[in-house]
Each structure stands twice: as C-alpha cells, then as structure tokens.
Amino acid sequence: GESVGLHLPTLSVQEGDNSIINCAYSNSASDYFIWYKQESGKGPQFIIDIRSNMDKRQGQRVTVLLNKTVKHLSLQIAATQPGDSAVYFCAENLDYGQNFVFGPGTRLSVLP
Amino acid sequence: NAGVTQTPKFRVLKTGQSMTLLCAQDMNHEYMYWYRQDPGMGLRLIHYSVGEGTTAKGEVPDGYNVSRLKKQNFLLGLESAAPSQTSVYFCASSLAAGTAADTQYFGPGTRLTVL
C-alpha cells in the first residue's frame, strides 16, 4: 500500500477526546460533499457524506457540519480512538457528476 | 469479494519508458476512475469511465491514456514516462456517478517513481 503526503496540517488529540477537522471548499455551487479517511498504506475510505440541502448529518461517532455561507465543512469524531489515526480529507461535487474536487487533507494523530 | 485491486504496488521507471497500471473491481460497478495523489495536494482526476468501452478526460489527463475493454478492468497507460509523473496512483469505482448513495471505492494505490 501507499502513504500520503508528509507535509499536511496535523491535529493531535488525546484518546477519548472529541476531534474536529475542518475543510474549506472552493465552489459555492457544490452540492454534495464527502469525508474520506486514509490510513497509512491504504486507499481513501468513505466516512460520511452530506448534501447541500442539509447543514448537519450524523453517523456512528461522526458528525458532518456544513456552513454554506462561509463554504466550510467540518468533521467531528466523538471519543477519538487510536484506530482513528489517519489522514482525513473532504471532497466536493457539483451536480452529482463524475468530478470531485479533493482537499489536501489533515493528519489526525491520537495520543495515548 | 476483493473490492478494488491495483497492480503493481510499486514501480520505478526511467524517463521515456512506458508502462500500464491495471485496476480491477469485482463489484459490478459502472464507473471507474484514475487519480493521482501528490504530497500536500488532494487527489486529482486523470481519466474516468462511465461504462465498458467509454473513457473521458479528467482534470490532469496529459501524458496518460486509458482503456476500458472489460467492465471490471480499467487500465492506465504512460507512453513516455516523465519525472513529473512520479506520484501515487489510485483507482476507484462506483455504482453510479456521485449520487448520495453511490460513493467511490478506492484501491490501495500504486507508487510510481520516474527517474
């Protein structure tokens, strides 16, 4: 498997704390957003998605918040665990087409 | 059910050499994609396919060619490799195109170095 880039913003959190990862997207017309998790040596893995007609969506231990006014997306992870350590990045999509625009990502490091 | 697989995992080429990266999926997905991932940058779409026998250009198609002769396979070719093509390449597939229920499933990646 392959690793992602080394020079990414890093967020360090204590195990058990909540994590908040932020993403600024580029196109005000984007209407569908996805958060991906990429572990070292693996391909990206879908976490959660949200449409532009929503401002919040919850999954298992994860919540995505969408603020269209400032073009901002956030991923909240509750009770962060060591297995959550990875690079997280958002992707935006216009008109449910083939072309997603991916952010560079944030590295989440969970401290014991 | 292996999902999305890619071969090879690693490859080193000299400038001007050619090679083909193979992507295979066993989920009967219609859509397949090739991305490259460079340090500090997000995934960038190279080419994609909406079905067997069809291909289309993505954001960064120059220097690459693709073929989708079988539904389950999507090949990425480099005819004359250049150092700028040093990257990690990811293949992905989806049942459809970017709808809320049809996410992209990614392979493990191929690290290509062009000297």
Side-chain angles (χ1 to χ4, degrees):
Chain A
E2 303 311 313
S3 61
V4 299
L6 299 177
H7 306 291
L8 295 172
T10 298
L11 173 67
S12 297
V13 298
Q14 211 70 37
E15 181 178 354
D17 288 351
N18 297 333
S19 303
I20 300 177
I21 300 170
N22 297 305
C23 175
Y25 63 92
S26 59
N27 192 335
S28 58
S30 292
D31 51 16
Y32 177 51
F33 306 87
I34 300 178
W35 276 101
Y36 284 95
K37 173 185 180 183
Q38 188 172 21
E39 297 175 278
S40 181
K42 296 183 179 180
Q45 179 184 7
F46 173 91
I47 301 174
I48 190 168
D49 59 4
I50 188 168
R51 299 184 186 187
S52 60
N53 61 353
M54 304 170 68
D55 54 18
K56 179 179 180 180
R57 189 161 189 228
Q58 290 184 295
Q60 187 177 12
R61 277 203 311 120
V62 295
T63 300
V64 55
L65 299 177
L66 175 61
N67 185 329
K68 295 181 286 292
T69 302
V70 294
K71 294 189 291 185
H72 184 267
L73 203 61
S74 69
L75 177 71
Q76 299 179 358
I77 303 174
T80 311
Q81 302 169 359
D84 295 327
S85 292
V87 173
Y88 291 81
F89 54 89
C90 65
E92 61 183 294
N93 184 270
L94 181 67
D95 292 336
Y96 297 97
Q98 288 80 24
N99 291 330
F100 282 86
V101 176
F102 292 83
T106 297
R107 185 179 304 279
L108 176 64
S109 178
V110 181
L111 307 174
Chain B
N1 191 337
V4 180
T5 59
Q6 293 181 232
T7 53
K9 295 187 186 300
F10 303 92
R11 186 71 185 268
V12 178
L13 291 178
K14 295 181 179 179
T15 297
Q17 288 184 317
S18 63
M19 77 161 296
T20 300
L21 281 67
L22 171 64
C23 175
Q25 53 93 5
D26 60 3
M27 297 175 283
N28 201 34
H29 283 172
E30 289 294 332
Y31 292 78
M32 297 188 74
Y33 313 80
W34 275 107
Y35 293 93
R36 59 179 290 172
Q37 187 176 44
D38 300 296
M41 299 181 68
L43 291 164
R44 291 184 291 168
L45 184 64
I46 304 172
H47 285 280
Y48 64 96
S49 169
V50 302
E52 180 178 322
T54 70
T55 63
K57 294 180 179 180
E59 179 187 353
V60 288
D62 294 342
Y64 305 95
N65 57 76
V66 288
S67 64
R68 183 97 180 269
L69 299 179
K70 294 181 179 181
K71 185 177 183 178
Q72 63 268 33
N73 295 337
F74 196 28
L75 279 64
L76 178 71
L78 286 73
E79 291 187 348
S80 180
S84 61
Q85 294 178 303
T86 294
S87 188
V88 179
Y89 292 85
F90 287 99
C91 176
S93 71
S94 65
L95 191 59
T99 63
D102 296 314
T103 190
Q104 295 183 18
Y105 294 85
F106 284 83
T110 296
R111 177 178 290 278
L112 175 65
T113 301
V114 183
L115 303 175

